[in-house]
DNA sequence: TTTTTTGCAAATGGTTTGCATCCTT
DNA sequence: AAGGATGCAAACCATTTGCAAAAAA
């Protein structure tokens, strides 16, 4: 059974095409990044790396995250905060986010309509879309019920 | 001819309702913020204030911007950078943005479809929407033509 | 007179960078 | 070998904050 290309191969291919090297640190970071299945921040990733007994500097984590975004394995999501959040692109279909203003919960959803919308709007402006980001902020079901929740 | 409420009155009303004071510094900041008709950053605003011969500290600019957002006169827009951009809400209808990845140009557009989309998606998740943000990143008409443009 | 505001300068905190050393290729 | 990569600590930089002085209510 011939497996489809995995994130290691993709990353390796990308690095080679850019004349960059595949180092143990980059491998560790890649693996840890793909073992986290929610949104994460650089700091979370570093923590997780250390938890698993690995040792990589913060600088290298930042440098490698940038590469992973650049090659399309991760995507940067900014939820109105000053620091970046990341999520997997590889192996996931495109989705957008509902963000609860009360508790900070993030719900992912996919909808075809937005793809069509993108096409029609861009047509009007002769704009060539590459990607989009839609965030809907509001109150989630739980917080609407217990009116007194505060941010985690 | 009875003018509709302007931004001064709105701000004043908001301040009063919060037990806050209407100071000359806040007036200056409000006026300057509303005399800039594009997206601006805190630094731009401060610059513009000084250009017009006024003197307000950076700290006060930041503190007042937060109030203007809080009362709904301004909205914070983050274009994937580490610092905030602001735009008028008062006197403008809701719109979203096309962002050119090549030259950084920002085109505003409005579309009804997204309002309907918001309603339908939120219904599914019993999520109560308050506001949304849609950004479509891609290549603008100009940059698609001259293939060699670089960021401003 | 009481409470907010302001300005200043120092602190914050996520991210980036310079540089000497280390390690892939 | 030779040039990219790493780790460290220092630098960045937008934003925030503590505090004493100034000013609204």
């Amino acid at each position: 059974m011939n497996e489809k290309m995995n994130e290691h191969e993709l990353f390796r291919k990308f690095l080679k095409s850019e004349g960059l090297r595949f180092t143990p640190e980059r491998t560790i970071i890649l693996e840890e990044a793909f073992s986290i299945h929610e949104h994460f921040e650089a700091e979370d990733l570093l923590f997780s790396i250390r938890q698993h007994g690995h040792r990589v500097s913060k600088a290298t984590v930042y440098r490698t995250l940038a590469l992973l975004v650049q090659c399309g394995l991760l995507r940067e999501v900014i939820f109105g905060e000053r620091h970046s959040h990341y999520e997997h692109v590889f192996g996931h279909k495109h989705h957008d986010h509902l963000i609860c203003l009360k508790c900070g919960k993030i719900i992912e959803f996919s909808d075809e309509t937005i793809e069509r919308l993108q096409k029609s709007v861009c047509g009007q402006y002769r704009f060539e879309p590459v990607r989009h980001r839609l965030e809907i902020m509001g109150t989630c079901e739980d917080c609407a019920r217990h009116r007194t929740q505060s941010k985690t």
Side-chain angles (χ1 to χ4, degrees), chain A:
Chain A
M1 199 192 279
N2 197 345
E3 273 190 282
K4 60 180 182 205
M5 185 152 48
N6 63 24
E7 58 269 23
H8 282 80
E9 296 174 59
L10 265 169
F11 194 34
R12 176 167 258 141
K13 190 164 288 187
F14 166 76
L15 290 173
K16 175 167 282 176
S17 79
E18 299 281 312
L20 302 174
R21 291 164 186 178
F22 197 60
T23 65
E25 288 82 2
R26 287 179 178 165
T27 310
I28 291 167
I29 295 168
L30 172 66
E31 291 185 349
E32 290 292 339
F34 272 81
S35 73
I36 302 178
H37 292 290
E38 314 97 48
H39 300 97
F40 61 90
E41 310 173 12
E43 211 56 51
D44 300 330
L45 180 55
L46 189 60
F47 180 77
S48 164
I49 287 170
R50 304 230 156 124
Q51 279 288 299
H52 289 68
H54 297 115
R55 181 137 288 280
V56 178
S57 75
K58 187 177 284 196
T60 299
V61 166
Y62 277 104
R63 288 190 273 233
T64 305
L65 278 172
L67 292 173
L68 290 171
V69 168
Q70 200 184 325
C71 76
L73 280 167
L74 294 183
R75 136 169 124 119
E76 214 169 341
V77 207
I78 301 177
F79 296 120
E81 286 157 327
R82 224 168 332 335
H83 58 277
S84 304
H85 296 242
Y86 297 86
E87 65 180 14
H88 301 173
V89 170
F90 182 73
H92 293 253
K93 79 174 195 194
H94 175 78
H95 58 261
D96 292 292
H97 300 101
L98 301 177
I99 304 172
C100 178
L101 294 168
K102 297 250 168 59
C103 69
K105 186 190 303 158
I106 291 166
I107 301 169
E108 299 183 353
F109 72 92
S110 304
D111 194 294
E112 272 306 305
T113 317
I114 181 155
E115 312 296 338
R116 287 200 297 279
L117 165 63
Q118 176 166 301
K119 201 163 289 179
S120 99
V121 167
C122 291
Q124 277 173 56
Y125 293 91
R126 300 178 193 291
F127 190 89
E128 218 170 89
V130 171
R131 59 173 188 273
H132 69 257
R133 166 165 72 200
L134 170 61
E135 288 163 18
I136 302 180
M137 271 111 350
T139 311
C140 74
E141 192 175 4
D142 292 349
C143 289
R145 215 160 22 215
H146 347 9
R147 294 246 116 238
T148 43
Q149 210 110 342
S150 69
K151 192 159 189 316
T152 315

